[in-house]
Amino acid sequence: MKTVKFPAEFSWGTATASYQVEGAWDEDGKGESIWDRFAHSEGRVLNGDTGDVACDQYHRYAEDVALMKELGLRGYRFSISWPRIFPEGKGKVNQAGLDYYGRLVDELLANGITPFPTLYHWDLPQALQDEGGWADRGIIDHFATYARTCIDALGDRVKRWMILNEPFIFTFMSYLSGMAAPGIRDSGLALRSSHIVNLAHAEAARAMRAAGSAEAIGTAFSMAASYPASDSAADRAAAERHHAWNNDWFLRPMMKGEYPAAYLDQERAIERMEVQPGDLDRLREPLDFVGINLYSRAICADAGTRKNIDVRQIPGPGPRTDYNWEVWPAAIYQMIMRVTKEYGRPPIYITENGCSYKERPGADGRVRDDRRAAFYEGYIGQVGRALAEGADVRGYYAWSLMDNFEWAAGYSQRFGIIDCDFEHGQKRTIKDSGYWYRDLIARGEIAYDETLA
Ligand code: BGC
């Protein structure tokens, strides 16, 4: 074991997303989002749960900021709800929506916490979905306008921004597997939307940069370190294709203006994306930092179907969280080192990392979630290892500040370092893992196993 000290300015925080915590789904002029529609449709979300109230952060943000302060957090990653700002996705701005985020930002700053907003964490205005959503090129300009509107309103106080949260999930999961809103299953649309998102991503970055107030603009990418299932050349190639698709499909276009080789028949994939002349030139708009959301890893074997990316994932031997995700701390180290190597040591933020465990308050009110603290100790240790070995890691954001609406799994999964009692007025209780995190931040150092692979 070795020990690493984090720099004094290291940005320790927690992350949430608008639809998962805010509630107030139709208040103060907010428009309907695709997640409102999805959750209000029968059979889409477990137990019929919705984000109508969620953690009610819209009304309780001051209480939540006070909790962050109690834990010694230095940053808060939250997302802005597009339909609060543009109820129809475009056209008329809803000032009350902008005012809400202004109040939240002011409250954070007054408590010494850096606001770190994401512009898009999946709650697309339903009105834009009705026009084709991310599969329609019209969205590129609407998104850039929305981005510019947010930075014009908040840029005097917010200096560090994320454009997207997990583009891989809101294209391939939403349009291919149908597991997320709008719940479509169409591989052609999935591919096309991935290209349009890449174009919108770059356009939004340009619009934000034109405003001149941002110090750093990045995006939070969902990543899962790709491990080959065996040493065979076929499995190693499969792991590379998985990496290209899962981890790099939205990063490489932005950084280098090109698509990584993910598909066996890449030419056909590009054709199905309906790439138009001039598009490739517009893709490149290098980010100032790379945000990594990482929970687990992917063990990849050649699937032998000779179709698409042709990868079969194999369950790993590591312990499991209550959401059945494999706990494999070295995955975060591997991922950071790979991005560091492939992109010339860019600044990196871990924008999400965490675990779902069910522990609730006991009779004495205490939440003894030792498994979560152990998870964080393992993963944050490996983040420290990457730092010690030369990666430029600037911050770490635990997912999540508190238990919240876990998408299609509703309230069945608890990712918070703070308990939220959805049955009793959204009462908050800091879990043992929250105090563990507070102590870690205060100490600023952690031990890690430098031999994990
Ligand atoms: C998302 C979060 C989500 C978390 C746990 C990430 O994919 O950005 O919104 O709650 O993982 O599933």
Side-chain angles (χ1 to χ4, degrees):
M1 295 292 277
K2 289 186 171 170
T3 300
V4 56
K5 203 158 178 51
F6 288 89
E9 67 282 3
F10 194 80
S11 180
W12 295 104
T14 54
T16 62
S18 48
Y19 188 72
Q20 294 181 275
V21 299
E22 282 178 358
W25 78 279
D26 63 349
E27 270 179 59
D28 294 341
K30 175 180 166 293
E32 187 191 21
S33 81
I34 56 174
W35 268 96
D36 293 317
R37 178 71 63 91
F38 194 73
H40 291 155
S41 314
E42 230 185 287
R44 295 299 207 166
V45 176
L46 192 66
N47 302 321
D49 291 343
T50 73
D52 291 1
V53 180
C55 307
D56 198 26
Q57 187 167 84
Y58 189 78
H59 299 111
R60 294 173 181 237
Y61 66 90
E63 182 186 345
D64 291 345
V65 172
L67 288 165
M68 293 176 215
K69 189 171 185 190
E70 188 180 340
L71 294 180
L73 305 183
R74 298 174 188 162
Y76 181 42
R77 175 173 179 235
F78 59 96
S79 80
I80 298 178
S81 163
W82 187 348
R84 274 197 205 287
I85 312 301
F86 287 97
E88 300 292 318
K90 58 185 174 181
K92 203 172 159 326
V93 174
N94 176 38
Q95 187 57 41
L98 285 173
D99 291 347
Y100 167 67
Y101 295 105
R103 291 195 297 278
L104 172 60
V105 161
D106 289 344
E107 188 71 19
L108 288 164
L109 290 172
N111 286 279
I113 299 167
T114 305
F116 194 16
T118 307
L119 290 176
Y120 185 73
H121 199 130
W122 308 355
D123 44 357
L124 187 74
Q126 180 65 41
L128 291 183
Q129 186 60 48
D130 296 342
E131 295 176 5
W134 291 107
D136 180 83
R137 291 175 80 104
I139 200 168
I140 299 170
D141 286 345
H142 304 323
F143 187 58
T145 302
Y146 162 61
R148 180 67 198 250
T149 305
C150 291
I151 206 165
D152 282 348
L154 301 169
D156 56 334
R157 290 154 287 165
V158 175
K159 299 296 169 190
R160 209 169 1 101
W161 296 82
M162 279 152 294
I163 303 173
L164 303 173
N165 181 71
E166 302 194 345
F168 180 85
I169 304 292
F170 74 77
T171 53
F172 290 109
M173 284 273 283
S174 299
Y175 288 88
L176 184 62
S177 79
M179 292 287 290
I184 292 169
R185 290 202 174 92
D186 180 323
S187 63
L189 275 190
L191 268 168
R192 175 140 63 97
S193 71
S194 77
H195 180 55
I196 294 172
V197 165
N198 277 322
L199 290 167
H201 195 189
E203 217 53 70
R206 281 189 278 274
M208 292 168 82
R209 283 183 172 141
S213 60
E215 282 162 13
I217 296 175
T219 266
F221 299 91
S222 50
M223 294 194 177
S226 315
Y227 286 64
S230 78
D231 254 352
S232 75
D235 287 350
R236 277 189 280 123
E240 285 310 295
R241 292 195 300 276
H242 176 272
H243 172 74
W245 191 54
N246 191 87
N247 302 330
D248 211 21
W249 196 253
F250 298 87
L251 177 56
R252 185 160 297 258
M254 212 51 183
M255 300 305 244
K256 304 204 163 160
E258 65 194 26
Y259 278 98
Y263 288 83
L264 284 184
D265 188 347
Q266 180 90 353
E267 240 172 71
R268 171 90 186 106
I270 302 271
E271 220 175 85
R272 294 180 73 200
M273 281 161 37
E274 298 176 17
V275 176
Q276 295 181 7
D279 276 4
L280 293 180
D281 297 332
R282 291 168 60 204
L283 286 180
R284 189 170 172 280
E285 184 63 31
L287 296 166
D288 303 315
F289 65 86
V290 179
I292 298 180
N293 291 0
L294 185 139
Y295 291 85
S296 196
R297 62 172 176 163
I299 304 175
C300 308
D302 185 287
T305 62
R306 302 286 121 226
K307 280 203 294 218
N308 298 315
I309 69 161
D310 205 26
V311 175
R312 183 166 50 95
Q313 279 194 42
I314 314 256
R320 306 254 149 187
T321 68
D322 288 345
Y323 207 5
N324 202 26
W325 295 0
E326 189 192 18
V327 179
W328 201 264
I332 204 162
Y333 162 79
Q334 302 290 359
M335 202 68 250
I336 296 171
M337 296 317 279
R338 182 153 194 180
V339 170
T340 295
K341 190 162 152 235
E342 286 179 3
Y343 290 100
R345 197 173 176 265
I348 290 174
Y349 286 85
I350 300 304
T351 34
E352 281 182 32
N353 172 235
C355 49
S356 169
Y357 289 118
K358 293 195 165 40
E359 288 82 354
R360 302 293 321 279
D364 58 356
R366 201 173 135 190
V367 187
R368 295 173 167 79
D369 60 336
D370 303 347
R371 298 186 292 170
R372 179 174 285 100
F375 176 99
Y376 280 124
E377 182 146 39
Y379 277 78
I380 297 175
Q382 293 298 304
V383 173
R385 176 183 175 196
L387 190 72
E389 292 182 17
D392 186 8
V393 189
R394 305 272 176 101
Y396 176 92
Y397 285 71
W399 185 273
S400 178
L401 173 68
M402 69 181 65
D403 300 336
N404 58 49
F405 178 84
E406 178 53 27
W407 307 114
Y411 297 101
S412 69
Q413 299 300 327
R414 293 182 171 270
F415 277 90
I417 58 171
I418 297 175
D419 182 89
C420 184
D421 190 340
F422 301 103
E423 255 107 61
H424 297 97
Q426 274 64 16
K427 181 174 184 288
R428 283 97 157 109
T429 307
I430 298 176
K431 301 180 188 179
D432 280 3
S433 61
Y435 292 116
W436 177 90
Y437 194 42
R438 175 195 65 187
D439 295 346
L440 167 74
I441 295 170
R443 221 174 36 246
E445 63 174 44
I446 197 163
Y448 64 88
D449 183 342
E450 75 281 18
T451 64
L452 298 182

